[in-house]
Short mmCIF file of all heavy atoms in Angstrom, two decimals:
data_model
loop_
_atom_site.label_atom_id
_atom_site.label_comp_id
_atom_site.label_asym_id
_atom_site.label_seq_id
_atom_site.Cartn_x
_atom_site.Cartn_y
_atom_site.Cartn_z
N PRO D 269 97.38 102.44 198.55
CA PRO D 269 96.24 101.94 199.32
C PRO D 269 95.05 101.71 198.40
O PRO D 269 94.79 102.52 197.51
CB PRO D 269 95.96 103.07 200.32
CG PRO D 269 97.21 103.89 200.36
CD PRO D 269 97.82 103.78 199.00
N TYR D 270 94.32 100.62 198.63
CA TYR D 270 93.22 100.30 197.73
C TYR D 270 92.15 101.39 197.71
O TYR D 270 91.53 101.65 196.68
CB TYR D 270 92.58 98.96 198.12
CG TYR D 270 91.60 99.04 199.26
CD1 TYR D 270 90.25 99.32 199.03
CD2 TYR D 270 92.01 98.86 200.58
CE1 TYR D 270 89.35 99.42 200.07
CE2 TYR D 270 91.11 98.94 201.61
CZ TYR D 270 89.78 99.22 201.37
OH TYR D 270 88.90 99.32 202.40
N GLU D 271 91.94 102.07 198.85
CA GLU D 271 90.89 103.08 198.89
C GLU D 271 91.22 104.29 198.02
O GLU D 271 90.31 105.04 197.63
CB GLU D 271 90.60 103.54 200.33
CG GLU D 271 91.79 104.12 201.07
CD GLU D 271 92.54 103.08 201.89
OE1 GLU D 271 92.54 101.90 201.50
OE2 GLU D 271 93.10 103.46 202.93
N ASP D 272 92.50 104.51 197.71
CA ASP D 272 92.88 105.57 196.79
C ASP D 272 92.65 105.16 195.34
O ASP D 272 92.33 106.00 194.49
CB ASP D 272 94.36 105.95 196.97
CG ASP D 272 94.61 106.70 198.28
OD1 ASP D 272 93.62 107.14 198.90
OD2 ASP D 272 95.77 106.82 198.67
N ILE D 273 92.84 103.88 195.04
CA ILE D 273 92.74 103.39 193.67
C ILE D 273 91.30 103.12 193.27
O ILE D 273 90.89 103.39 192.12
CB ILE D 273 93.57 102.09 193.51
CG1 ILE D 273 95.06 102.40 193.76
CG2 ILE D 273 93.37 101.49 192.13
CD1 ILE D 273 95.66 103.41 192.81
N LEU D 274 90.51 102.57 194.19
CA LEU D 274 89.15 102.15 193.90
C LEU D 274 88.33 103.29 193.30
O LEU D 274 88.22 104.36 193.87
CB LEU D 274 88.48 101.64 195.17
CG LEU D 274 87.22 100.80 195.01
CD1 LEU D 274 87.51 99.50 194.29
CD2 LEU D 274 86.60 100.51 196.37
N GLY D 275 87.77 103.05 192.12
CA GLY D 275 86.96 104.05 191.44
C GLY D 275 87.68 104.80 190.33
O GLY D 275 87.05 105.53 189.56
N GLN D 276 88.99 104.61 190.20
CA GLN D 276 89.75 105.32 189.18
C GLN D 276 89.77 104.56 187.85
O GLN D 276 89.56 103.35 187.79
CB GLN D 276 91.20 105.55 189.65
CG GLN D 276 91.35 106.55 190.76
CD GLN D 276 92.79 107.03 190.90
OE1 GLN D 276 93.37 107.57 189.96
NE2 GLN D 276 93.36 106.83 192.07
N THR D 277 90.08 105.30 186.79
CA THR D 277 90.28 104.74 185.45
C THR D 277 91.65 105.17 184.95
O THR D 277 92.03 106.34 185.09
CB THR D 277 89.19 105.23 184.48
OG1 THR D 277 87.91 104.80 184.94
CG2 THR D 277 89.43 104.68 183.08
N PHE D 278 92.39 104.22 184.38
CA PHE D 278 93.76 104.49 183.94
C PHE D 278 93.92 104.14 182.45
O PHE D 278 93.33 103.17 181.98
CB PHE D 278 94.75 103.66 184.76
CG PHE D 278 94.65 103.87 186.24
CD1 PHE D 278 93.82 103.07 187.01
CD2 PHE D 278 95.36 104.88 186.87
CE1 PHE D 278 93.70 103.27 188.38
CE2 PHE D 278 95.26 105.08 188.23
CZ PHE D 278 94.43 104.28 188.99
N TYR D 279 94.74 104.94 181.77
CA TYR D 279 95.07 104.69 180.37
C TYR D 279 96.59 104.58 180.25
O TYR D 279 97.31 105.43 180.79
CB TYR D 279 94.60 105.83 179.47
CG TYR D 279 93.09 106.03 179.43
CD1 TYR D 279 92.46 106.82 180.38
CD2 TYR D 279 92.32 105.45 178.42
CE1 TYR D 279 91.09 107.02 180.34
CE2 TYR D 279 90.95 105.64 178.37
CZ TYR D 279 90.33 106.42 179.32
OH TYR D 279 88.98 106.62 179.29
N ALA D 280 97.07 103.57 179.54
CA ALA D 280 98.52 103.42 179.35
C ALA D 280 98.78 102.40 178.25
O ALA D 280 97.97 101.48 178.03
CB ALA D 280 99.20 102.99 180.65
N PRO D 281 99.93 102.52 177.56
CA PRO D 281 100.27 101.55 176.52
C PRO D 281 101.01 100.34 177.08
O PRO D 281 101.71 100.43 178.09
CB PRO D 281 101.19 102.36 175.60
CG PRO D 281 101.86 103.34 176.52
CD PRO D 281 100.84 103.67 177.58
N ALA D 282 100.82 99.20 176.43
CA ALA D 282 101.55 97.97 176.75
C ALA D 282 101.28 96.96 175.65
O ALA D 282 100.22 96.99 175.02
CB ALA D 282 101.13 97.40 178.10
N LEU D 283 102.23 96.10 175.41
CA LEU D 283 102.08 95.02 174.43
C LEU D 283 101.67 95.54 173.05
O LEU D 283 100.91 94.91 172.31
CB LEU D 283 101.04 94.00 174.92
CG LEU D 283 101.35 93.33 176.27
CD1 LEU D 283 100.15 92.51 176.74
CD2 LEU D 283 102.58 92.45 176.15
N GLY D 284 102.16 96.73 172.71
CA GLY D 284 101.90 97.29 171.39
C GLY D 284 100.50 97.80 171.16
O GLY D 284 100.04 97.90 170.02
N ARG D 285 99.79 98.15 172.25
CA ARG D 285 98.43 98.67 172.13
C ARG D 285 98.12 99.54 173.35
O ARG D 285 98.91 99.60 174.28
CB ARG D 285 97.44 97.52 172.04
CG ARG D 285 97.42 96.65 173.29
CD ARG D 285 96.83 95.28 172.98
NE ARG D 285 97.66 94.56 172.04
CZ ARG D 285 97.30 93.42 171.44
NH1 ARG D 285 96.11 92.91 171.67
NH2 ARG D 285 98.11 92.83 170.61
N CYS D 286 96.97 100.19 173.34
CA CYS D 286 96.56 101.01 174.47
C CYS D 286 95.56 100.26 175.33
O CYS D 286 94.67 99.57 174.82
CB CYS D 286 95.93 102.31 173.98
SG CYS D 286 97.15 103.57 173.51
N PHE D 287 95.71 100.42 176.64
CA PHE D 287 94.81 99.80 177.60
C PHE D 287 94.04 100.87 178.37
O PHE D 287 94.57 101.93 178.69
CB PHE D 287 95.59 98.94 178.60
CG PHE D 287 96.00 97.60 178.07
CD1 PHE D 287 97.16 97.47 177.33
CD2 PHE D 287 95.23 96.47 178.32
CE1 PHE D 287 97.56 96.23 176.85
CE2 PHE D 287 95.61 95.23 177.83
CZ PHE D 287 96.78 95.10 177.10
N LYS D 288 92.80 100.53 178.67
CA LYS D 288 91.96 101.31 179.58
C LYS D 288 91.58 100.39 180.74
O LYS D 288 90.97 99.35 180.53
CB LYS D 288 90.70 101.81 178.88
CG LYS D 288 89.74 102.56 179.80
CD LYS D 288 88.46 102.94 179.04
CE LYS D 288 87.46 103.65 179.94
NZ LYS D 288 86.18 103.96 179.20
N ILE D 289 91.98 100.77 181.95
CA ILE D 289 91.78 99.90 183.12
C ILE D 289 90.86 100.61 184.10
O ILE D 289 91.19 101.67 184.62
CB ILE D 289 93.13 99.56 183.78
CG1 ILE D 289 94.00 98.78 182.80
CG2 ILE D 289 92.91 98.77 185.07
CD1 ILE D 289 95.42 98.58 183.26
N GLU D 290 89.70 100.01 184.34
CA GLU D 290 88.72 100.55 185.28
C GLU D 290 88.80 99.76 186.58
O GLU D 290 88.53 98.55 186.60
CB GLU D 290 87.31 100.47 184.69
CG GLU D 290 87.16 101.32 183.42
CD GLU D 290 85.81 101.16 182.75
OE1 GLU D 290 85.23 100.05 182.84
OE2 GLU D 290 85.34 102.13 182.14
N ALA D 291 89.17 100.43 187.66
CA ALA D 291 89.41 99.76 188.94
C ALA D 291 88.22 99.92 189.87
O ALA D 291 88.29 100.60 190.90
CB ALA D 291 90.69 100.30 189.59
N PHE D 292 87.11 99.29 189.51
CA PHE D 292 85.91 99.36 190.34
C PHE D 292 84.91 98.29 189.87
O PHE D 292 84.98 97.82 188.73
CB PHE D 292 85.26 100.74 190.27
CG PHE D 292 85.05 101.27 188.86
CD1 PHE D 292 83.94 100.93 188.12
CD2 PHE D 292 86.00 102.11 188.29
CE1 PHE D 292 83.76 101.42 186.83
CE2 PHE D 292 85.84 102.61 187.00
CZ PHE D 292 84.70 102.26 186.27
N PRO D 293 83.99 97.88 190.76
CA PRO D 293 82.96 96.90 190.37
C PRO D 293 82.18 97.39 189.16
O PRO D 293 81.74 98.54 189.10
CB PRO D 293 82.07 96.81 191.61
CG PRO D 293 82.97 97.17 192.74
CD PRO D 293 83.88 98.23 192.20
N GLY D 294 82.01 96.51 188.17
CA GLY D 294 81.36 96.89 186.92
C GLY D 294 82.35 97.39 185.89
O GLY D 294 82.00 97.59 184.72
N GLY D 295 83.61 97.57 186.29
CA GLY D 295 84.63 98.07 185.38
C GLY D 295 85.22 96.98 184.50
O GLY D 295 85.03 95.78 184.71
N LYS D 296 85.99 97.41 183.51
CA LYS D 296 86.59 96.48 182.54
C LYS D 296 88.04 96.85 182.29
O LYS D 296 88.49 97.95 182.60
CB LYS D 296 85.83 96.54 181.21
CG LYS D 296 84.37 96.12 181.27
CD LYS D 296 83.71 96.26 179.90
CE LYS D 296 82.24 95.88 179.94
NZ LYS D 296 81.60 96.04 178.60
N VAL D 297 88.76 95.90 181.71
CA VAL D 297 90.05 96.18 181.08
C VAL D 297 89.81 96.08 179.59
O VAL D 297 89.47 95.01 179.07
CB VAL D 297 91.14 95.18 181.52
CG1 VAL D 297 92.44 95.46 180.77
CG2 VAL D 297 91.37 95.27 183.02
N GLU D 298 89.95 97.21 178.90
CA GLU D 298 89.68 97.25 177.46
C GLU D 298 90.93 97.66 176.71
O GLU D 298 91.85 98.26 177.26
CB GLU D 298 88.54 98.22 177.17
CG GLU D 298 87.21 97.80 177.79
CD GLU D 298 86.10 98.81 177.53
OE1 GLU D 298 86.34 100.01 177.78
OE2 GLU D 298 85.02 98.39 177.09
N MET D 299 90.93 97.33 175.41
CA MET D 299 92.08 97.65 174.57
C MET D 299 91.63 98.42 173.33
O MET D 299 90.54 98.21 172.81
CB MET D 299 92.78 96.36 174.13
CG MET D 299 93.38 95.55 175.25
SD MET D 299 94.16 94.01 174.65
CE MET D 299 92.69 93.02 174.32
N ASP D 300 92.50 99.31 172.89
CA ASP D 300 92.39 99.95 171.59
C ASP D 300 93.63 99.52 170.81
O ASP D 300 94.73 100.03 171.03
CB ASP D 300 92.33 101.47 171.74
CG ASP D 300 92.12 102.18 170.39
OD1 ASP D 300 92.33 101.54 169.34
OD2 ASP D 300 91.76 103.37 170.40
N THR D 301 93.45 98.53 169.95
CA THR D 301 94.60 97.95 169.24
C THR D 301 95.08 98.82 168.09
O THR D 301 96.07 98.48 167.44
CB THR D 301 94.24 96.55 168.71
OG1 THR D 301 93.12 96.66 167.82
CG2 THR D 301 93.87 95.61 169.86
N THR D 302 94.40 99.93 167.84
CA THR D 302 94.81 100.82 166.76
C THR D 302 95.78 101.90 167.24
O THR D 302 96.31 102.66 166.44
CB THR D 302 93.59 101.52 166.12
OG1 THR D 302 92.99 102.41 167.08
CG2 THR D 302 92.56 100.48 165.69
N LYS D 303 95.99 101.97 168.59
CA LYS D 303 96.84 103.01 169.15
C LYS D 303 97.97 102.40 169.97
O LYS D 303 97.81 101.35 170.59
CB LYS D 303 96.02 103.96 170.03
CG LYS D 303 94.90 104.68 169.32
CD LYS D 303 94.21 105.65 170.24
CE LYS D 303 95.14 106.78 170.65
NZ LYS D 303 94.50 107.79 171.49
N LYS D 304 99.10 103.08 169.99
CA LYS D 304 100.25 102.64 170.78
C LYS D 304 100.73 103.71 171.77
O LYS D 304 101.63 103.46 172.56
CB LYS D 304 101.40 102.24 169.86
CG LYS D 304 101.10 101.06 168.95
CD LYS D 304 102.30 100.69 168.12
CE LYS D 304 102.01 99.51 167.22
NZ LYS D 304 103.18 99.12 166.39
N ALA D 305 100.15 104.89 171.69
CA ALA D 305 100.56 105.99 172.57
C ALA D 305 99.40 106.97 172.71
O ALA D 305 98.38 106.85 172.02
CB ALA D 305 101.80 106.69 172.03
N ASN D 306 99.57 107.96 173.61
CA ASN D 306 98.52 108.96 173.86
C ASN D 306 97.17 108.27 174.08
O ASN D 306 96.15 108.62 173.46
CB ASN D 306 98.43 109.96 172.70
CG ASN D 306 99.73 110.69 172.48
OD1 ASN D 306 100.38 111.10 173.42
ND2 ASN D 306 100.11 110.86 171.21
N CYS D 307 97.18 107.29 174.96
CA CYS D 307 96.04 106.38 175.08
C CYS D 307 94.75 107.03 175.55
O CYS D 307 93.65 106.58 175.20
CB CYS D 307 96.41 105.23 176.02
SG CYS D 307 97.75 104.19 175.39
#
Side-chain angles (χ1 to χ4, degrees):
Y270 81 87
E271 59 267 30
D272 288 347
I273 297 299
L274 196 64
Q276 290 197 59
T277 298
F278 304 91
Y279 297 86
L283 302 171
R285 63 201 64 190
C286 279
F287 281 84
K288 176 184 178 182
I289 297 171
E290 297 175 329
F292 50 84
K296 298 178 181 179
V297 176
E298 296 178 310
M299 296 179 285
D300 184 344
T301 59
T302 66
K303 300 184 65 177
K304 297 182 180 181
N306 301 318
C307 296

